[in-house]
Structures are given as C-alpha cells and as structure tokens.
Amino acid sequence: MVVVSTFAAAAPAPAAPPTWRVLPEFLYFAALSGATGGAGAYVLAVGPALRHGPAAAPTIARKAATGLGVLGPVLVVALWLQLAVTVAGAGKGMPFGSALSPGAIATYIGKPADDGEWLASGVLTAVQFAFYLAAALVLAALLVPAACTRVRRLAGSAAVLAVVGTAAAAVPTSPSGVAKELGGVFTQLHVLGGTTWLGGLVMLAGLALAARHTPGAGDVWAAVWASFSTLAMAAVGLVLVSGLWLLWMHVGSPAQLLTTTYGRFLLIKLVLVLAMLIAGALNQLSLLPRIARVRRLEPDDTSLLRLTLRHFPRVVALEALLGLAVLVIVPLLSGSARKQAGETGSPELDVSVLLIGVLFAAMLVMSFVAAARLGDRLGRRVPVESAI
C-alpha cells in the first residue's frame, strides 16, 4: 500500500459540531434507517413469515403498518432539517434558522454548477431528497386503515425509493479521480448497509414487543428471526467491506485513531459496532439454533413464544440501542484523521489496496457462510435428553 503525502504541523483539534447539526443528522439517519431497513425487513422477513401463522397475521400486519406509517411524517421533518443543515453548511455563515426557509433551500438547489462540474451539487441533493420524500409519503399512506391489506407492497415501494435515493448520492458531480469516486460509492454502500441493519433491528424489536401477546405468533417469529439473520448478514457485509475502504481513506496509521479527534470518535464507533457484531453472533450461533430445536422437537407454543418474543428480542433491542449510539457518533466524524494529523494530498490507489479489499471481502463471505452452516447444524442437533 503506497500513500503519497507530505507532512506538516498537525492541524488543531476541530471544534465540536454545533447542536443544530448533530441533532438533525441523528434524526435524519434514524428515520432513513426505518425507511430502508425497517421497511425492507418487513418485506423480506415479516411478510413471508406471516404465512406460518394465519391467525396472528392480521394483528402483526396492523401493528407494522402503524409503526411504519408514523415513520413517514417523521422522515419528512428529518429531510427538511437535514436539507437545512446542508444549506447552512454550503452558505458562508448562514444561520441554521435562515437555512430552514424555503427561499434559502430553493436558492441552494437552483445554484448553477461550478466550473469543472457537470452537475450542480444542489441538483443532486434535490434528486436524492425527492426519492426520500416519495418514500416518506408512501410510508405515511400506511396510516390509512385500508392500507393494512397492502403493507408489504407499500413497504417494498418505500424501501426501493429509499435505496435509489441513497444510490443517487454516489453520482459524482465532477471528475475527481478513481479513489475519490470509489470513495463516494463506498460511502453510500456504508450508509445503505448501516441503515438496513439498524432499521431492521429497531423495527423488529419494536414489532416483537408490540405483538408479544398475539396468539399463535411463535411460528411466525421463528421464521422472522431466521429470515432477518440472512438480511442482517448481507447488511453487515456491506458495512464491513465499505468501512474498510473508508478507514483506509480517512486514517493513515493506527496511531491516528488515538492522536486525532476524528480517530478517537471513529474508535468509539468501531467499539460499538464490534459490540453489535458480538450480539449478532450470539443470535446466530446460540438463540437461532435453540429456536430451531424447540420448533422441531417441542412444538409447544409457550416455549417458542418465550424464545422468539422474549429472549431473542432482548438481544436485538441491545443491538438496536448500540446502533443508535453509533448514529450519535456519525455527525462528529467530520474531516479525516489524515488531515488532522497534518497529512496533505490524497491516499494513492494501487493494486495492493484493491487486492487487500478483495481478500477481505472473500474471507468475510466465507466466514458468514461458515457461521450460517454452523448455526443450521446446531439447530438440527438433538439434545442428549431427547436422544435417550
């Protein structure tokens, strides 16, 4: 790995970002997580699982529709606040209150492209937020009572719109070199993976809590948790692969994780993500096999409900809380550790960097496949007392 840079005196520690930036950004990513991961988890995990419990399906679908529907207006407010943050950041000394006005937002969106740009950044932001707004309106439609019969279709539409909006942000507005353009792509993959993972955790933990007294829900939630574990592993894979690239882009050495403000906040984020991974591994290798064994050998709904709607959701709720703590850190990660350490220039992309990334991705896929097979094998194992 070759890094081309010159070293200067370390830059002074940046001031903490203002509250008007931190809180809207937290709300923005939290609401976006619901639109991407919450809606996606319903489409890919909850909806198909409802076939396992026809009696419980109407109640679970109705509660899911209410939760996702409330998210629609919340996302609209979050988009407005985040757009104002963007406008205030682009303007020279513009107060956040002024940036909230429709006139200031319209001026930002209508600003022509700078020299060398083939697309104005305001236009790209408008396109991205238009998709997000459409997702929010689709989710809000779930508040209509008649929509309870179309939860999966509306949730799927919202999730697709949110994913397209996230992908739109990866479009470069000017030629910036392969490394920076790939950085934009990996940044949005990181957002997509993180919001899918966190949104699914929060939505399913809340839905499980709301539906914990629903009769006949044991089989439904056993299938939900099994399906979501696959979705979660795919999301985690995106987070880890894209995170490795972003780590290389923004951190020049391990020491910078301790000597720069960016690095210290990033280190906290990494610890929180590691804790989420440990909780996910507990689900995959301990709780899911237990659920599979109980479902196969002890079809007592009471035992199945205890595992699927008490034990498992507790671990998922812990993961969700850790994920929300990560969102608190995200607005504090401005700049990069390289710049704060006094490096100038950009890291140079070469074959060794790409090779390391490919090897890491391959090892990650193999480890996930091995974990899934091990979990399945543990779920099929007959307990000693049952074999006697």
Side-chain angles (χ1 to χ4, degrees), residues 34-74:
T36 304
Y42 185 89
V43 173
L44 299 176
V46 179
L50 293 181
R51 294 193 298 267
H52 296 276
T59 300
I60 294 175
R62 185 175 65 253
K63 292 180 181 297
T66 301
L68 291 173
V70 170
L71 180 64
V74 173

Side-chain angles (χ1 to χ4, degrees), residues 49-106:
L50 293 181
R51 294 193 298 267
H52 296 276
T59 300
I60 294 175
R62 185 175 65 253
K63 292 180 181 297
T66 301
L68 291 173
V70 170
L71 180 64
V74 173
L75 181 56
V76 171
V77 174
L79 291 174
W80 177 42
L81 295 176
Q82 182 63 18
L83 189 54
V85 169
T86 303
V87 172
K92 296 181 179 179
M94 177 181 291
F96 177 68
S98 300
L100 287 168
S101 69
I105 294 173

Side-chain angles (χ1 to χ4, degrees), residues 33-35 37-47 60 63-65 67-68 71 151 155 196-210 221 224-225 228 316 320:
S33 295
Y42 185 89
V43 173
L44 299 176
V46 179
I60 294 175
K63 292 180 181 297
L68 291 173
L71 180 64
V151 180
T196 299
W197 186 15
L198 175 59
L201 290 171
V202 173
M203 196 279 285
L204 292 182
L207 186 58
L209 179 64
W221 281 97
V224 167
W225 296 128
F228 179 68
V316 171

Side-chain angles (χ1 to χ4, degrees), residues 5-374:
S5 62
T6 58
F7 292 86
T19 304
W20 60 260
R21 178 188 164 190
V22 174
L23 294 181
E25 195 161 332
F26 172 83
L27 180 62
Y28 166 73
F29 280 113
L32 182 60
S33 295
T36 304
Y42 185 89
V43 173
L44 299 176
V46 179
L50 293 181
R51 294 193 298 267
H52 296 276
T59 300
I60 294 175
R62 185 175 65 253
K63 292 180 181 297
T66 301
L68 291 173
V70 170
L71 180 64
V74 173
L75 181 56
V76 171
V77 174
L79 291 174
W80 177 42
L81 295 176
Q82 182 63 18
L83 189 54
V85 169
T86 303
V87 172
K92 296 181 179 179
M94 177 181 291
F96 177 68
S98 300
L100 287 168
S101 69
I105 294 173
T107 300
Y108 171 77
I109 293 174
K111 183 181 177 182
D114 295 330
D115 292 339
E117 289 186 334
W118 54 59
L119 179 66
S121 57
V123 172
L124 184 61
T125 300
V127 170
Q128 180 189 20
F129 276 57
F131 279 106
Y132 288 157
L133 179 60
L137 296 177
V138 171
L139 288 174
L142 287 168
L143 293 175
V144 179
C148 288
T149 59
R150 296 179 293 158
V151 180
R152 194 177 181 191
R153 181 181 302 175
L154 291 173
S157 299
V160 169
L161 288 167
V163 170
V164 173
T166 301
V171 176
T173 58
S174 63
S176 53
V178 175
K180 288 188 176 180
E181 290 177 3
L182 283 176
V185 172
F186 279 109
T187 297
Q188 297 313 310
L189 288 176
H190 200 66
V191 171
L192 179 59
T195 54
T196 299
W197 186 15
L198 175 59
L201 290 171
V202 173
M203 196 279 285
L204 292 182
L207 186 58
L209 179 64
R212 65 187 183 280
H213 299 305
T214 305
D219 273 339
V220 172
W221 281 97
V224 167
W225 296 128
S227 297
F228 179 68
S229 68
T230 303
L231 176 62
M233 280 197 288
V236 168
L238 280 181
V239 168
L240 295 180
V241 172
S242 58
L244 178 65
W245 175 274
L246 297 175
L247 182 67
W248 171 75
M249 285 285 294
H250 295 292
V251 180
S253 67
Q256 291 179 5
L257 291 173
L258 299 174
T259 59
T260 65
T261 302
Y262 182 97
R264 288 190 286 269
F265 281 126
L266 179 59
L267 189 58
I268 295 173
K269 178 186 173 183
L270 293 175
V271 171
L272 291 172
V273 171
L274 177 61
M276 292 178 69
L277 292 174
I278 292 173
L282 173 63
N283 285 338
Q284 181 67 39
L285 299 178
S286 177
L287 291 177
L288 278 177
R290 287 175 62 191
I291 290 172
R293 287 196 297 270
V294 168
R295 194 180 184 189
R296 181 167 50 89
L297 301 174
E298 305 173 34
D300 176 13
D301 192 56
T302 301
S303 300
L304 199 56
L305 279 174
R306 185 173 61 253
L307 282 172
T308 58
L309 290 174
R310 291 184 186 177
H311 297 305
F312 205 100
R314 288 174 184 171
V315 181
V316 171
L318 174 61
E319 285 186 80
L321 289 174
L322 291 169
L324 291 174
V326 170
L327 292 190
V328 176
I329 301 296
V330 169
L332 306 176
L333 292 171
S334 59
S336 74
R338 290 180 183 272
K339 291 181 179 178
Q340 291 177 13
E343 293 187 20
T344 59
S346 301
E348 182 178 309
L349 179 64
D350 58 22
V351 176
S352 64
V353 174
L354 294 176
L355 181 60
I356 290 173
V358 171
L359 290 176
F360 178 78
M363 291 176 60
L364 200 62
V365 171
M366 289 188 292
S367 66
F368 284 169
V369 170
R373 289 181 176 177
L374 177 59

